[in-house]
Amino acid sequence: MIDKNIKTDIRSPLKWPGGKKRVLKHIRAMLPSKGKKRLVEPFVGGGSVFLNLDFEEYLLCDTNKDLVALFNAVKHSPLSFKKDAQHLFNQKNNTADKYYELRQRFNDNTDSYERAILFLYLNRHGYNGLCRYNKSGGYNVPFGRYKKPYFPSDEIDFLANKLQRAEVISGDFTLAFEQLTSGDVVYCDPPYSPINRTSNFTAYSGAMFSDEDQERLVESSINAQHKGVATVISNHYVAFTKKLYASADQRSLFSVQRSISQNGKAREKVKEVLALYDAK
């Protein structure tokens, strides 16, 4: 059950585009809590939501295998992970040449633990906290040129503690929905439907999240209602999602300041929606 008094300013160890830290108050207000034991997140991303909500258990899912590997490394080997990752955070490694050398090492590596360590380094040293892969699956975010990238020691400790109550899996969001049981509540933060229909903001972990995928998510949420499970979905509020969530039991609209250009410099208020498909 959600503890209304729990501290709600916990940061993820990862910088993550579209993180929900600034809109947690809206999510908390919408997300059912009474009698709910497990929070299920089919699109866990950086983890800001589950880190700031108190449930007995968590099921966390994401298509990004490197993200899942990092979470599992922190869960099972927190001390080793922190020591090995911190070793990369020094001025010698904070140069463009070294960044691209380590990025290539990451792309050439097949060991999930080694990739997890390098993933944190790349996330903190890469441009604007982006997570982007090319069509061949290669990580291709450019060097960020930060004066002194922050090593998230306390954030890793908190994440490691929270993950002891979590199962973390990699796959399509339907994998999480297939594992729902009575007592669960679902929060979905899918790749957002674009404000501009010609934009490419739905790119997610090297894949596209299409209108048909958005529709599949609503279908899964409706099916979950009949299992006694409530689902809340976040998205941009545009013509497509207004129609898409027309059957939701409740909708909440609010404005959020977000980047609306690929260079990350143009920021303005955009409308977002939370759609609730309540348990039947």
Side-chain angles (χ1 to χ4, degrees):
M1 182 180 297
I2 300 174
D3 181 355
K4 299 298 183 182
N5 297 314
I6 192 171
K7 186 179 178 183
T8 58
D9 59 354
I10 303 300
R11 294 181 179 274
S12 169
L14 296 165
K15 295 189 288 184
W16 206 255
K20 290 295 172 288
K21 192 171 184 298
R22 288 179 293 178
V23 299
L24 275 167
K25 64 180 181 179
H26 299 288
I27 296 170
R28 289 168 64 84
M30 176 74 79
L31 201 66
S33 61
K34 187 176 180 180
K36 303 302 181 183
K37 295 183 179 180
R38 184 172 72 160
L39 175 67
V40 178
E41 285 202 65
F43 308 86
V44 67
S48 292
V49 173
F50 101 93
L51 285 170
N52 286 282
L53 297 180
D54 190 29
F55 284 80
E56 294 179 21
E57 299 176 25
Y58 306 89
L59 174 62
L60 312 175
C61 182
D62 206 278
T63 57
N64 189 318
K65 293 181 180 180
D66 295 314
L67 173 69
V68 171
L70 184 149
F71 277 20
N72 278 319
V74 171
K75 175 182 178 179
H76 297 296
S77 306
L79 297 179
S80 297
F81 177 86
K82 188 162 77 167
K83 179 181 177 181
D84 293 338
Q86 190 166 16
H87 181 70
L88 294 175
F89 283 67
N90 56 59
Q91 286 306 111
K92 180 184 71 173
N93 289 333
N94 191 28
T95 66
D97 287 346
K98 195 64 178 181
Y99 174 85
Y100 291 119
E101 176 187 326
L102 290 170
R103 191 181 75 173
Q104 189 60 49
R105 184 188 302 178
F106 173 83
N107 285 332
D108 292 340
N109 208 310
T110 58
D111 182 85
S112 61
Y113 180 77
E114 293 287 341
R115 284 178 66 94
I117 293 167
L118 289 164
F119 187 66
L120 180 63
Y121 164 85
L122 293 170
N123 174 264
R124 285 282 168 180
H125 290 74
Y127 178 73
N128 209 27
L130 294 175
C131 181
R132 189 181 67 195
Y133 300 80
N134 60 31
K135 292 181 179 181
S136 300
Y139 193 88
N140 65 357
V141 176
F143 182 53
R145 301 187 182 280
Y146 299 107
K147 184 175 180 180
K148 187 178 180 181
Y150 173 69
F151 182 72
S153 178
D154 291 342
E155 291 83 351
I156 291 172
D157 290 342
F158 191 92
L159 175 63
N161 182 63
K162 203 72 181 280
L163 285 172
Q164 301 313 307
R165 289 183 273 159
E167 179 184 2
V168 191
I169 58 176
S170 177
D172 184 76
F173 66 84
T174 53
L175 183 62
F177 275 93
E178 289 168 0
Q179 300 185 35
L180 295 180
T181 61
S182 178
D184 290 343
V185 61
V186 183
Y187 171 67
C188 295
D189 182 25
Y192 276 15
S193 183
I195 296 173
N196 180 347
R197 300 302 290 180
T198 63
S199 73
N200 193 32
F201 286 180
T202 51
Y204 186 68
S205 299
M208 293 296 295
F209 202 79
S210 65
D211 289 351
E212 289 74 21
D213 292 321
Q214 302 281 4
E215 291 165 353
R216 284 196 303 123
L217 180 56
V218 169
E219 182 179 355
S220 293
S221 302
I222 292 171
N223 290 338
Q225 290 181 294
H226 301 291
K227 296 181 180 180
V229 176
T231 301
V232 172
I233 306 174
S234 289
N235 216 320
H236 282 141
Y237 189 62
V238 292
F240 175 74
T241 56
K242 181 178 181 179
K243 181 178 180 181
L244 180 67
Y245 302 138
S247 63
D249 295 287
Q250 186 178 340
R251 293 185 299 177
S252 174
L253 306 179
F254 50 91
S255 295
V256 179
Q257 183 173 305
R258 293 205 183 279
S259 170
I260 58 166
S261 71
Q262 291 181 342
N263 64 22
K265 294 180 181 178
R267 296 179 182 274
E268 67 176 38
K269 293 279 187 177
V270 297
K271 278 192 175 181
E272 294 201 8
V273 58
L274 288 174
L276 169 65
Y277 294 84
D278 212 349
K280 300 299 185 183

